[in-house]
Amino acid sequence: IVVALQIPNGFRSVFTNVLEGLDLPDKTLRANIVLVATNGLLDIILVPALGIEGAAIASFTAITASSLYLGANVIRKTEIDLHIFPVLPVAAQVVSATAMCFIIYALKRIIRKPQLIELAILISVGIVTYFSLLLIISAATRERVVGIVLDLGL
């Protein structure tokens, strides 16, 4: 979940910079309020039931909500045509990262206290899951990988 958190957090950072560049700090302040309020509320609900995983889910949800708020404001203030936004590649990454998180979470519940070898297996399964799914569902990613492989002469 913490790895998947980087996707909306990256967008949040870019959107924040755009809005601050447009001299709209009130929008970023409101986004931070959304983030803190959502995270706090979900922590109260999820942490007692799920522990640290609940906190991670709360953080992911809060950062995603904040990113969506910021993104909507960037689109509104800049009049950016949504057709230029790479919806499908981002969706493919989100689906792959989410699936990876669920698989790793399930394996971690089986392997309670992973030692070094189990940890290496968990990381490897995560990497293989993410990239395999991304290659299966994203034609653009497949084309890029094939191009790189051909450029390397492999």
Side-chain angles (χ1 to χ4, degrees), residues 72-125:
N73 278 286
V74 166
I75 290 167
R76 218 176 291 123
K77 296 298 180 182
T78 60
E79 299 177 8
I80 292 176
D81 185 7
L82 282 178
H83 291 94
I84 68 166
F85 186 74
V87 174
L88 291 178
V90 171
Q93 292 176 20
V94 170
V95 167
S96 296
T98 303
M100 176 192 68
C101 287
F102 281 115
I103 289 170
I104 295 300
Y105 178 75
L107 287 175
K108 183 147 180 346
R109 303 227 2 128
I110 294 168
I111 306 169
R112 288 289 179 181
K113 293 184 179 178
Q115 300 300 316
L116 186 58
I117 189 71
E118 290 94 354
L119 187 58
I121 291 169
L122 283 172
I123 292 169
S124 299
V125 168

Side-chain angles (χ1 to χ4, degrees), residues 3 6 28 35 37 42 51 53 55 58 61 66 82 90 94 101 115 117-118 122 131 133 139 145-146 149:
V3 172
Q6 296 309 310
T28 58
L35 186 140
L42 290 176
E53 288 90 358
T61 304
S66 177
L82 282 178
V90 171
V94 170
C101 287
Q115 300 300 316
I117 189 71
E118 290 94 354
L122 283 172
F131 285 110
L133 285 173
V145 169
V146 168
V149 168

Side-chain angles (χ1 to χ4, degrees), residues 30-47:
R30 289 182 184 139
N32 287 332
I33 292 169
V34 167
L35 186 140
V36 170
T38 303
N39 196 37
L41 178 66
L42 290 176
D43 275 345
I44 291 169
I45 296 168
L46 296 175
V47 169

Side-chain angles (χ1 to χ4, degrees), residues 15-25 73-74 76-78:
F15 294 150
T16 296
N17 290 336
V18 169
L19 291 170
E20 287 178 357
L22 293 171
D23 197 26
L24 296 168
N73 278 286
V74 166
R76 218 176 291 123
K77 296 298 180 182
T78 60

